[in-house]
Amino acid sequence: MLNFLSKKKDAVEQIAGIVLRHESGLALVIKKNNQRHSSQLIDQREFKYSNGWENLTYDIDEVLFTLEKNHNFSLKKTVFFLYSHLIDSRSHSIKDSYLEKINSLIKENQLDAIGYIDYTEALAKYLQNKEQSPLTALIVEIDVPAITASIYKGGERVFSESVGKTANIAADLEEICKKTQKDTVLPSRIIMYDSSELENESTALITHKWSEDLFIQMPRVEVLKPEEVTDALIYSFDDHPGARIEESPVQNQKTDEVPVPKENDSEGDMESESVAGFVIGKDIKEMDIRQDDKKTETVPDEAYNEDVDDSDGEVVDSHTSRPFSEKISAFFSHFSINSMNIKNKNIFIILIALAVIGGILASTLLLFHKAILTIYYQPETIEKEIEINSGIKIEKSTEKISTSESGEATGTKSIGDKAQGEVTIFNAETSEKTFKKNTQLKTSDGFIFLLSSDVKAAAAERKVTEDGDILTTTSKTKTKAAAQDIGQKYNIKDDVKFTIEGISESQSFARSTGAFSGGTEKEIQVASREDQDKLKKKIDGVIKKEAEKIIRSKQTDGKIISDLTETKVGDEKFSAEIGEEAKNVKLSISAEVSFYSYHEEDMKNLLLEQLTSVIPDGYTLDTSSISYTLADAKKDEKGKITLNISAKAQPKLNIAEQEVFSSIKGHSVSSIRSIIENKFKARGYKINFEPSIPILNSFIPLFSKNLKINVEPFQ
């Protein structure tokens, strides 16, 4: 029967995987598909502990915040991957000293802890699935303070032990192996893993001469690469047989209460509640930190660098949620100056020592305890189209431009003299004939000459011969003529016959009387129309550039409205007219540029007034957060100007920096998240200490001048 009242899991959820080693950790972002029962690694980030396990709460908070910011989603559900030497090999539970720290960081960072996974168990399950056969091997885990060896036979872990790590890793492993039961045959396969490469360590094991009592044959040594170890962790997190994670039940108890196990709880019961290193049906933060005091491993406590109170053997948590200022006040409240006798030398020395210590402490907090707190808020964008035809002063300015351009004359022209000479006109008509000036005379070669003046040719004489024939004697009249065009080709020879324009040769004709002379011709360079047009086009570009130059120089006084800029060209003057002889042609011109401008400050103040009504609640806007583009500008016949503006603004979350400081000063770094996000409605924050001093990095500065607060949009 289906339970319809049970809580349904999200189809896809993001889970934080925290790998905890002795001095460093690894944060994983796991995408879990609850329908397909599969998990996928989407990001990972190594991080060093800033002060061992003392500041682990802050270190994890910082790395999770960075991952949340990069992926823009929240990471609350968390699974812990623990090195085996952090787990008691007999009770299969986290050692007390580490469990207390883990409980603290879960509570301080408000994490929803699913459970934890034993590194070695995860690797064993992964290798069995990969090789499709029960695992028989000696898995060796190497961390800074300890080395742990686990023996697997037929897929089951039959032995696990840890010892303090020395410089001789082979000797350390041999020491562990000797603790196995007598006549135990060790697997001839050794698998090693760490957070880095193990080239030197693997070489040491390969070259070591093992006792024949431990290995029947020389063991084969394998090193798992870090990426393969990560794959094993993700695989172990999937819903595969033997590695299924169940939901943690809701506990009706206060978060600071720790349940105490019943006296009749047995070791077998504890084993039945865990599968492949997962805590089944329990939350880490609900586990009892006061577990069995029995120590099953030979690693000395000092190897783990823990803070232990020798008086009762209990681990002392130096991390507290009280502001540091309260700690200082509580410390000095134990001393009463009135009860001291100044005359006593010893008391006087104590007073001086306390004063020096107090001065050093105060100076340290004042001079070196500094931080930069960046508060991120959810950005809001305002966009609005605004038409402006009043409310802003628009000024008109006029500038004159005088310039000139010149170029080489490219036109050509032929010049010279016309050939001149004397001609004789022969008239065969019986009547007198008049030939006007410029009457054309044409040679057989087509050369044309013109009469230089009007000429009257006498009538021809006719006589009847004795034979009865009529004899006509033409009249001969000499006159001047000149060639129609210039050129040497018109210098014709003597006795060249001409036909007369419009008259038959039988009536009249002419001949040159002597050779013609004086005809010359040469080509000269002149100005052409193309030269003038080219200069006009060139000077138009010069005027435009000069106008732009003037506008740029005026931009310092105001913003120019380019659409309204006008250029009026005045008189043009060329140095040579078309066809006039010239080597170069120069054009001189004058123009007048008119442009309109406004002041940037006036425009932004006007836009601020227009945008005030659409600012979201809790946000403020100033002119520095406003940007705009001038989409269009027009001027009507009466000179009225209308501007169309596309405005865009980024309002800022209204956070009082002094109020923020008053709310968090002296608080532990891990406790300020809820204050910043809930009280000030922020998206998140980031804090950097400069200089970075591990002890001081755990709480907020006490002096306002030592805490710089920046408020920025979340990108």
Side-chain angles (χ1 to χ4, degrees), residues 435-542:
F435 296 93
K436 296 291 184 180
K437 181 181 178 180
N438 292 330
T439 298
Q440 289 187 1
L441 305 178
K442 188 175 183 180
T443 68
S444 60
D445 295 332
F447 296 150
I448 297 174
F449 293 81
L450 304 176
L451 293 178
S452 300
S453 60
D454 294 343
V455 178
K456 287 184 179 182
E461 294 182 0
R462 287 188 176 184
K463 291 182 180 180
V464 179
T465 64
E466 293 179 355
D467 296 330
D469 296 325
I470 298 175
L471 180 64
T472 301
T473 302
T474 59
S475 64
K476 299 177 181 178
T477 305
K478 292 184 178 181
T479 187
K480 298 291 185 181
Q484 185 181 37
D485 293 318
I486 62 174
Q488 295 177 351
K489 63 183 179 180
Y490 290 98
N491 293 332
I492 60 176
K493 299 178 180 180
D494 180 27
D495 199 26
V496 175
K497 185 178 180 180
F498 300 96
T499 58
I500 301 174
E501 179 184 12
I503 299 176
S504 172
E505 282 187 60
S506 61
Q507 295 176 338
S508 297
F509 64 91
R511 286 184 179 276
S512 58
T513 305
F516 275 57
S517 63
T520 61
E521 183 180 8
K522 67 176 180 178
E523 192 174 77
I524 61 173
Q525 191 173 359
V526 297
S528 66
R529 183 174 298 280
E530 289 77 9
D531 296 335
Q532 291 188 352
D533 291 342
K534 186 177 180 180
L535 285 177
K536 285 181 180 180
K537 185 176 181 181
K538 186 176 181 181
I539 210 163
D540 285 344
V542 172

Side-chain angles (χ1 to χ4, degrees), residues 636-649:
D636 61 18
E637 296 177 353
K638 296 181 179 180
K640 185 178 180 180
I641 295 174
T642 300
L643 306 179
N644 292 314
I645 303 292
S646 296
K648 187 176 182 180

Side-chain angles (χ1 to χ4, degrees), residues 53-54 97-105 316-318:
W53 282 58
E54 291 305 312
S97 57
Y98 294 104
L99 180 59
E100 184 177 5
K101 300 295 184 184
I102 294 173
N103 271 328
S104 176
L105 71 89
V316 179
D317 186 0
S318 62

Side-chain angles (χ1 to χ4, degrees), residues 562-632:
S562 301
D563 291 348
L564 301 181
T565 301
E566 301 171 346
T567 302
K568 184 178 180 181
V569 178
D571 296 333
E572 299 176 349
K573 185 177 181 181
F574 289 97
S575 61
E577 297 299 327
I578 297 174
E580 185 178 350
E581 183 177 6
K583 295 289 184 181
N584 296 285
V585 183
K586 181 179 180 181
L587 172 59
S588 299
I589 198 169
S590 61
E592 190 175 81
V593 179
S594 299
F595 53 90
Y596 298 82
S597 64
Y598 60 87
H599 290 285
E600 177 82 353
E601 183 179 356
D602 295 341
M603 175 62 76
K604 287 199 171 184
N605 287 333
L606 182 59
L607 294 177
L608 181 59
E609 294 177 7
Q610 297 285 338
L611 296 173
T612 300
S613 60
V614 293
I615 299 175
D617 293 338
Y619 285 76
T620 59
L621 182 64
D622 55 37
T623 55
S624 64
S625 301
I626 298 175
S627 61
Y628 68 92
T629 55
L630 180 58
D632 183 42

Side-chain angles (χ1 to χ4, degrees), residues 217-236:
Q217 60 183 13
M218 182 64 67
R220 183 175 78 257
V221 179
E222 303 173 18
V223 177
L224 291 180
K225 296 181 179 179
E227 54 268 25
E228 192 171 8
V229 174
T230 304
D231 290 342
L233 299 181
I234 301 303
Y235 170 79
S236 69

Side-chain angles (χ1 to χ4, degrees), residues 236-517:
S236 69
F237 191 66
D238 284 340
D239 287 340
H240 291 286
R244 187 174 183 83
I245 303 175
E246 297 184 5
E247 294 287 346
S248 298
V250 178
Q251 301 292 331
N252 295 321
Q253 62 181 39
K254 297 180 180 178
T255 57
D256 57 352
E257 292 180 352
V258 181
V260 180
K262 297 179 181 179
E263 294 181 358
N264 58 356
D265 284 349
S266 65
E267 184 177 317
D269 292 334
M270 296 183 70
E271 291 180 351
S272 66
E273 293 179 355
S274 64
V275 178
F278 287 97
V279 177
I280 303 301
K282 288 187 179 293
D283 194 315
I284 288 179
K285 63 185 178 182
E286 296 168 357
M287 294 175 62
D288 184 9
I289 65 172
R290 297 181 297 275
Q291 296 183 3
D292 190 358
D293 291 336
K294 295 181 180 180
K295 303 295 180 180
T296 62
E297 303 180 13
T298 60
V299 183
D301 290 340
E302 56 270 18
Y304 297 100
N305 193 25
E306 295 297 329
D307 295 332
V308 179
D309 187 346
D310 294 335
S311 61
D312 54 13
E314 293 183 356
V315 177
V316 179
D317 186 0
S318 62
H319 181 78
T320 176
S321 60
R322 286 197 304 162
F324 191 73
S325 57
E326 294 182 16
K327 298 179 185 179
I328 297 174
S329 300
F331 175 77
F332 284 104
S333 65
H334 293 294
F335 298 92
S336 175
I337 297 177
N338 294 331
S339 64
M340 296 182 183
N341 186 354
I342 303 300
K343 296 180 181 180
N344 188 296
K345 182 178 180 180
N346 293 333
I347 295 178
F348 180 74
I349 293 174
I350 292 174
L351 287 174
I352 294 298
L354 289 176
V356 171
I357 293 172
I360 293 174
L361 181 59
S363 299
T364 301
L365 294 175
L366 180 62
L367 299 177
F368 301 105
H369 192 202
K370 298 180 179 181
I372 299 175
L373 174 64
T374 303
I375 299 176
Y376 298 99
Y377 62 88
Q378 186 64 38
E380 297 286 345
T381 301
I382 301 173
E383 295 183 0
K384 188 176 182 180
E385 300 295 324
I386 301 173
E387 183 180 278
I388 297 175
N389 48 34
S390 62
I392 187 171
K393 183 179 180 181
I394 298 177
E395 299 176 346
K396 179 181 179 181
S397 301
T398 302
E399 294 285 338
K400 290 186 178 181
I401 299 174
S402 295
T403 185
S404 63
E405 286 293 326
S406 60
E408 184 181 2
T410 60
T412 58
K413 182 179 179 181
S414 295
I415 62 171
D417 296 325
K418 297 178 180 180
Q420 296 182 1
E422 187 178 66
V423 297
T424 300
I425 297 176
F426 295 87
N427 183 18
E429 295 289 332
T430 56
S431 59
E432 184 181 71
K433 197 170 184 71
T434 300
F435 296 93
K436 296 291 184 180
K437 181 181 178 180
N438 292 330
T439 298
Q440 289 187 1
L441 305 178
K442 188 175 183 180
T443 68
S444 60
D445 295 332
F447 296 150
I448 297 174
F449 293 81
L450 304 176
L451 293 178
S452 300
S453 60
D454 294 343
V455 178
K456 287 184 179 182
E461 294 182 0
R462 287 188 176 184
K463 291 182 180 180
V464 179
T465 64
E466 293 179 355
D467 296 330
D469 296 325
I470 298 175
L471 180 64
T472 301
T473 302
T474 59
S475 64
K476 299 177 181 178
T477 305
K478 292 184 178 181
T479 187
K480 298 291 185 181
Q484 185 181 37
D485 293 318
I486 62 174
Q488 295 177 351
K489 63 183 179 180
Y490 290 98
N491 293 332
I492 60 176
K493 299 178 180 180
D494 180 27
D495 199 26
V496 175
K497 185 178 180 180
F498 300 96
T499 58
I500 301 174
E501 179 184 12
I503 299 176
S504 172
E505 282 187 60
S506 61
Q507 295 176 338
S508 297
F509 64 91
R511 286 184 179 276
S512 58
T513 305
F516 275 57
S517 63

